[in-house]
Amino acid sequence: MVDQTTAAAADTEDGEILATIDKWLARDVRPHVLKLDHADEYPHEIVAQMKELGLFGATIPVEYGGLGLNATTYAKIVETIAQTWMSLSGIINSHLIMSACVARQGTPEQKAYYLPKFATGELRGGLALTEPDAGTDLQGIRTRARRDGDHYIVNGTKTWITNGIEGSCFALLVKTDPEANPRHKGMSMFIAEKGPGFTVSKKLEKLGYKGIDSAELVFEDYRIPADRLIGGVEGQGMQAALGGLELGRINIAARGCGLASASLKDSVRYAQIRKTFGKPIAEHQAIQLKLGEMATRLQAARLLTYDAARAYDRGERCDMEAGMAKYFASEAAVANSLEAMRIHGGYGYSKEYDVERYFRDAPLMCIGEGTNEIQRMIIAKQLIARNPA
């Protein structure tokens, strides 16, 4: 009975949070999405509202000023936001992965200083992992941090960094021992605030995912205090990155659900309005087959996403579950967005409708936070490890 009561209370709280998010999206976001997306304009006013709603502290523990939401509730929020404008969910995702790295592995001093600033959005940023020659293969990064007294000197380049222009602080993955074998033992993570030697070289233009800033970051003799080494010990950077990516992949899966849901909702509505051969196209079997597949795909993606989120909330290793969710939900987003475009016909190809934006945004979900090809490899390796012959 206690468990049922707790679950009911959690459902009520989730409902209230999602209702608040829905009202905000309808009132302050949806009317501006087409303009901002087409202009690729950063949504400063909307981000300020996100700060007021506490979204930058969504998963940060309450004792540090955050909302302390679990991954399951967070995934529901992300899906809800992505149904309206997927880009906004990216602004908080990268920031909260950075926060999770500090919350999970930071020193007490690092947590006490940084997490409250992250929670309020005073310091906003993200995760600086990817390099021009190292994306999925993180062990291949070349950015180097060399110890120099009470500081480290960093040199290297990071690319495709979300919040790179508007953000001010990043979880920076570097090599502190390039000769280490295995390679991951020579990797470390720092809390890197912008300053001398840390510059943004350019904004990267993209097919979709508009409005949010994706940038290339350059470090040239960037001096960073040694006390910003996450956890205070070298060689734990890969562990910090992978732990953060579990939450990131759940976020990507939830974003995929949001895009798949928006594609389905718009298609169901349009199919009842648009008529051909004297009747709504929803009455044509060809359209019904598409809608049936889209709905089933979305429901399966949601079940996988919330299964992974619950495993994360239990503190379990969930790279397989998060990988399954990310892989399936992102592919569901791509498939549903394409079907939505076909159902809408010529209007689906028009910038006057949201469908073409879903179609442009969805492919990124198959690439970000580890490609879907690597997700399938992770799933297979964990499957074998968990089921030895």
Side-chain angles (χ1 to χ4, degrees):
M1 178 62 83
V2 174
D3 289 343
Q4 292 177 353
T5 302
T6 302
D11 288 342
T12 300
E13 182 181 6
D14 283 1
E16 292 174 350
I17 292 171
L18 293 175
T20 299
I21 297 293
D22 265 330
K23 289 178 182 177
W24 165 66
L25 290 168
R27 182 186 66 240
D28 298 320
V29 178
R30 193 167 291 120
H32 308 291
V33 172
L34 284 179
K35 175 181 178 294
L36 291 168
D37 181 83
H38 292 165
D40 197 10
E41 180 181 339
Y42 190 80
H44 290 282
E45 291 185 10
I46 292 174
V47 170
Q49 294 163 359
M50 292 167 71
K51 288 172 65 175
E52 292 177 6
L53 288 167
L55 291 176
F56 285 97
T59 57
I60 294 175
V62 174
E63 58 264 37
Y64 296 107
L67 297 181
L69 302 178
N70 59 34
T72 304
T73 302
Y74 175 54
K76 293 177 182 177
I77 291 172
V78 169
E79 179 181 346
T80 300
I81 293 174
Q83 286 177 14
T84 297
W85 193 18
M86 190 272 287
S87 292
L88 294 183
S89 60
I91 291 175
I92 56 172
N93 176 50
S94 190
H95 172 85
L96 288 171
I97 296 177
M98 171 182 67
S99 302
C101 289
V102 177
R104 282 186 159 196
Q105 294 191 262
T107 64
E109 293 77 16
Q110 289 168 348
K111 294 178 185 179
Y113 180 78
Y114 280 103
L115 291 180
K117 295 180 184 295
F118 293 163
T120 62
E122 176 186 343
L123 284 179
R124 296 203 322 271
L127 196 63
L129 305 181
T130 304
E131 298 186 4
D133 294 320
T136 298
D137 179 20
L138 287 179
Q139 295 187 71
I141 65 169
R142 297 179 182 178
T143 298
R144 171 80 190 275
R146 175 176 57 82
R147 185 70 184 249
D148 182 33
D150 293 332
H151 288 74
Y152 283 82
I153 298 177
V154 180
N155 284 281
T157 302
K158 297 291 182 178
T159 194
W160 294 112
I161 308 304
T162 299
N163 295 330
I165 296 171
E166 298 293 337
S168 55
C169 186
F170 298 84
L172 173 64
L173 187 66
V174 301
K175 286 281 184 73
T176 44
D177 182 4
E179 306 304 320
N181 189 17
R183 292 182 296 168
H184 68 83
K185 289 189 177 296
M187 303 171 72
S188 302
M189 185 89 81
F190 286 87
I191 306 169
E193 294 186 55
K194 285 183 175 177
F198 179 165
T199 58
V200 178
S201 67
K202 62 181 176 180
K203 175 182 176 180
L204 300 169
E205 301 295 332
K206 308 180 295 291
L207 168 69
Y209 201 37
K210 301 287 189 176
I212 188 171
D213 52 322
S214 302
E216 185 172 271
L217 309 179
V218 176
F219 301 89
E220 295 179 314
D221 292 333
Y222 168 62
R223 296 182 67 83
I224 186 168
D227 62 10
R228 293 185 189 172
L229 172 63
I230 295 179
V233 179
E234 292 185 6
Q236 297 183 352
M238 190 66 170
Q239 182 181 351
L242 294 178
L245 285 174
E246 286 183 350
L247 181 63
R249 285 167 183 163
I250 291 169
N251 172 287
I252 292 287
R255 284 197 242 176
C257 289
L259 286 170
S261 177
S263 299
L264 175 62
K265 286 180 179 178
D266 286 10
S267 297
V268 169
R269 185 185 308 111
Y270 183 78
Q272 296 175 74
I273 297 170
R274 170 68 168 156
K275 292 182 179 181
T276 62
F277 303 103
K279 61 182 179 181
I281 63 173
E283 295 181 18
H284 293 297
Q285 189 178 61
I287 300 300
Q288 292 171 352
L289 293 175
K290 291 181 184 297
L291 294 176
E293 288 182 359
M294 292 168 73
T296 303
R297 208 179 279 127
L298 169 61
Q299 183 63 8
R302 277 180 174 152
L303 292 173
L304 284 167
T305 299
Y306 296 124
D307 178 64
R310 285 189 291 269
Y312 184 93
D313 290 334
R314 292 192 297 267
E316 298 173 1
R317 177 173 180 173
C318 60
D319 48 350
M320 184 172 84
E321 290 78 7
M324 285 179 170
K326 189 268 182 189
Y327 161 56
F328 190 88
S330 60
E331 296 290 349
V334 171
N336 276 18
S337 68
L338 177 58
E339 291 290 37
M341 183 172 286
R342 286 172 164 165
I343 289 169
H344 281 74
Y347 290 113
Y349 206 62
S350 167
K351 285 195 171 185
E352 294 180 15
Y353 283 70
D354 291 318
V355 172
E356 66 88 27
R357 172 165 51 84
Y358 306 152
F359 183 73
R360 287 186 288 107
D361 284 350
L364 175 64
M365 302 300 97
C366 298
I367 300 169
E369 314 295 15
T371 65
N372 281 357
E373 287 71 25
I374 201 69
Q375 300 311 315
R376 282 176 278 181
M377 292 169 62
I378 291 170
I379 293 164
K381 288 177 180 178
Q382 274 298 298
L383 189 65
I384 292 169
R386 296 184 191 187
N387 299 277

